[in-house]
Structure formats: structure tokens, C-alpha cells
């Protein structure tokens, strides 16, 4: 049994809350307790006057391999959950509602929700080894976390389709050119770069900053939440599909999936 409190390390210093994903032996794949810990940290940080900005960062040279595939398999058996009922839905559903600046530092692999959460961030820094992959289609799934709305707006339809549907890996540099990443910086300067930006934002007048963030979100919170809920229903339905079951089983058995036999 995992303990999300251990695998998500929360620290606060000088107005900056750092949320660190620490499950490196599984490439920082996310389990329910980890989503819950991240959700609670974001809510608590938003409510606390000690926090003026959040940083999301991985560990061990990986940002996150996305949702844990074995967790996908067990969730697929539980039927279609409603948005907000599970830790993953709580976390994803809160992303458009985060009240303070959200900054991501991406070193190495970012997969699935490890990429789609970036569309909710105000600033994203990446290392030269950053590799952003959204294999939703290969898993029989569909884009989630509002990415079907936010990615085309941020990057244009062509690049968003290449990322979210074709599943093409984007390097940090490609993601920078596409407008998803602010800057590519050396891995050993990545956290310091994110922190320097967070400290600058932490020193801004908070009420003005909140209004600026709301104005610049690219879509209204209601619009994002509406899309996110529609995606979540479709995603949950897909998780129980024969295509997804074959893809999950193939991952566990470390073999290529065979969709022709379905
Ligand atoms: N869920 C569960 N376990 C995962 C995982 C995930 N999303 N990603 C990696 N792991 C585990 C592997 O099963 C392996 O466990 P093991 O040591 O017990 O066999 C361990 O993490 C190391 O991963 P490995 O595949 O050996 O590393 P790699 O460097 O060769 O490949 C990835 C890394 C991320 C490319 C590859 O693991 C992968 O494709 N993972 C699945 C990503 C994914 O589809 N996520 C869901 C997105 S919607």
C-alpha cells in the first residue's frame, strides 16, 4: 500500500510551496494517494497566507510517467466514476481553480497527466532531457484534464493533434517552440530557475496577480471545467473498453499491444 504523503513531498519556504513527486522506482507514476496529497497541498496552499506560489517538480531525473497503469486497471473494474469522486478527479478538477501561480519544472519524462497538467501552469521550465508524451490513444483512452480544449488553444490544432492524438514525443525545446515551455535550462539549474520565478511572483501584489491570472487563463474556469468533466466521462468509459484493457495488460506483460484480435 502506498502512502501519498511520502511519495509527494511538500515543503514551504519564503512564500513558495514545492510539491515534489517522489516515486522514482516507478518513474513517478501517480497513485490515488499521491493525487490526493497534491490536491490537498494545492488547496491548503491556496488557503494559506504563507503560500504565494506553487512549484510542481519530479525527482530522480523524471517528472512523472503519468497515471499508474495498474491503478488504471483496477479503476476500470469499478465502473464509471463521477468527476470529483476520486482523488484523480479531485486533483484534475482543481487544476483550473488553483488560485495562486502554478509553476512546473520538468526534468526527463513527462507522460499523460504529467503533460496535461502543464497546460494549467503559468510558467513551465524544462531540462534538455525533458520528453513530453501523451500516449492516450495508444492506451485506448482519450485526452484528459482539459487538454482537448487548452492544448489546441496554446499550441494550435496541428501541434496539439500531433501531441495528443498521434502521441508524438515533444522534447523540451520542441515544447518551448510550441509555446508550452518558457525556457529550457540545464537540469542542475532547473529547480533554482523555477524557484527564482516563483519568488518573483510571490513578491507581486497578490490581488492584482490573481486578477491577471484569471484574465490570462485562455478560457473561463467554467468552460475548462465543463470540458474536463466531459473528457472525464469519456475517459472513464474508455478505461473499461477492450482496447484499453488490452493496452494495460500488454504494459504489465511488457509486450506490444495487439488491437487486431479484439
Ligand atoms: N504505471 C505503473 N508503473 C509504471 C509506469 C506507469 N505509468 N511507468 C513506469 N512504471 C514502472 C515500470 O513498470 C517499471 O516497473 P518494474 O521495475 O517493476 O518493472 C518501472 O516503472 C520502470 O519503468 P521502465 O518501463 O522499466 O522504464 P523505461 O525508462 O524503460 O520507460 C516509460 C519509462 C515511462 C517510457 C515507460 O515505463 C512507460 O511507457 N510507462 C507507461 C507510461 C504511460 O503510459 N502512462 C499513462 C499515461 S495516460
Amino acid at each position: 500500500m502506498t502512502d501519498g504523503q511520502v511519495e509527494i513531498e511538500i515543503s514551504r519556504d519564503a512564500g513558495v510551496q514545492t510539491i515534489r513527486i517522489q516515486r522514482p522506482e516507478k518513474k513517478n507514476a501517480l497513485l490515488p494517494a499521491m493525487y490526493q496529497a497534491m490536491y490537498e497541498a494545492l488547496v491548503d496552499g491556496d488557503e494559506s497566507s504563507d503560500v504565494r506560489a506553487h512549484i510542481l517538480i519530479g525527482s530522480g531525473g523524471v517528472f512523472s510517467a503519468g497515471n499508474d497503469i495498474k491503478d488504471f486497471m483496477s479503476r476500470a473494474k469499478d465502473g464509471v466514476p463521477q468527476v470529483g469522486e476520486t482523488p484523480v478527479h479531485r486533483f484534475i478538477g482543481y487544476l483550473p481553480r488553483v488560485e495562486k501561480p502554478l509553476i512546473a519544472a520538468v526534468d526527463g519524462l513527462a507522460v499523460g497527466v504529467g503533460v496535461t497538467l502543464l497546460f494549467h501552469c503559468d510558467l513551465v521550465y524544462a531540462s534538455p532531457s525533458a520528453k513530453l508524451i501523451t500516449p492516450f490513444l495508444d492506451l485506448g483512452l482519450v485526452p484528459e484534464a482539459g487538454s482537448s480544449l487548452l492544448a489546441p488553444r496554446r499550441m494550435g490544432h496541428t501541434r496539439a493533434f500531433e501531441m495528443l492524438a498521434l502521441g508524438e514525443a515533444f522534447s523540451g525545446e520542441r515544447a518551448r517552440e510550441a509555446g508550452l515551455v518558457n525556457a529550457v535550462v540545464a537540469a542542475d539549474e532547473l529547480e533554482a530557475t523555477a524557484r527564482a520565478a516563483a519568488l518573483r511572483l510571490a513578491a507581486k501584489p497578490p490581488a492584482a496577480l490573481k486578477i491577471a491570472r484569471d484574465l490570462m487563463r485562455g478560457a473561463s474556469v467554467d468552460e475548462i471545467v465543463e470540458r474536463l468533466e466531459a473528457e472525464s466521462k469519456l475517459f472513464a468509459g474508455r478505461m473499461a473498453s477492450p482496447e484499453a484493457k488490452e493496452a494495460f495488460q500488454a504494459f504489465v506483460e511488457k509486450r506490444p499491444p495487439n488491437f487486431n484480435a479484439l
Side-chain angles (χ1 to χ4, degrees):
M1 194 60 200
T2 184
D3 181 352
Q5 302 301 325
V6 173
E7 288 157 340
I8 300 295
E9 184 197 75
I10 315 290
S11 56
R12 290 181 182 179
D13 179 41
V16 177
Q17 170 167 264
T18 302
I19 301 174
R20 194 180 308 272
I21 309 169
Q22 291 197 128
R23 197 187 173 212
E25 73 286 2
K26 296 289 183 189
K27 305 283 178 186
N28 294 335
L30 296 166
L31 289 161
M34 296 164 73
Y35 287 113
Q36 184 66 25
M38 291 193 292
Y39 163 72
E40 286 174 13
L42 289 171
V43 172
D44 199 56
D46 278 349
E47 288 172 357
S48 166
S49 56
D50 295 346
V51 173
R52 296 291 191 89
H54 309 280
I55 294 177
L56 275 169
I57 191 166
S59 60
V62 179
F63 185 64
S64 173
N67 200 94
D68 188 283
I69 301 269
K70 288 186 181 162
D71 169 60
F72 268 154
M73 294 173 89
S74 69
R75 272 162 51 196
K77 291 192 206 113
D78 298 338
V80 179
Q82 292 303 305
V83 174
E85 273 183 5
T86 62
V88 60
H89 288 130
R90 257 172 239 133
F91 172 71
I92 286 175
Y94 191 65
L95 287 174
R97 299 179 169 102
V98 172
E99 290 188 5
K100 295 178 181 172
L102 190 54
I103 298 157
V106 181
D107 185 23
L109 275 168
V111 187
V113 69
V115 175
T116 53
L117 69 79
L118 301 177
F119 291 103
H120 297 272
C121 292
D122 301 293
L123 296 168
V124 180
Y125 298 99
S127 75
S129 72
K131 195 173 170 190
L132 282 56
I133 318 171
T134 53
F136 297 116
L137 270 287
D138 298 324
L139 292 169
L141 303 172
V142 291
E144 40 73 301
S147 60
S148 66
L149 177 75
L150 297 174
R153 289 200 182 169
R154 180 77 58 92
M155 309 195 296
H157 176 81
T158 48
R159 284 181 291 204
F161 197 85
E162 189 181 345
M163 176 185 266
L164 294 175
L166 188 59
E168 189 69 17
F170 276 45
S171 66
E173 187 50 35
R174 179 92 204 282
R176 191 194 63 74
E177 284 166 10
L180 176 56
V181 161
N182 289 81
V184 177
V185 297
D188 60 1
E189 291 169 18
L190 184 65
E191 184 165 357
T193 302
R195 187 167 167 74
L199 286 169
R200 285 178 63 191
L201 289 169
K204 305 273 180 209
L209 181 56
K210 181 172 181 330
I211 295 167
R213 284 188 77 242
D214 287 345
L215 288 168
M216 294 175 71
R217 208 183 302 274
S220 72
V221 173
D222 288 349
E223 190 184 4
I224 301 172
V225 168
E226 192 183 324
R227 176 64 65 90
L228 197 146
E229 290 180 356
E231 290 170 345
S232 286
K233 285 194 187 105
L234 294 164
F235 193 96
R238 294 302 308 162
M239 277 206 302
S241 69
E243 291 172 354
K245 283 182 180 161
E246 165 58 12
F248 300 157
Q249 197 59 39
F251 178 77
V252 170
E253 293 172 10
K254 297 186 187 287
R255 61 167 173 83
N258 178 5
F259 299 115
N260 294 327
L262 299 177

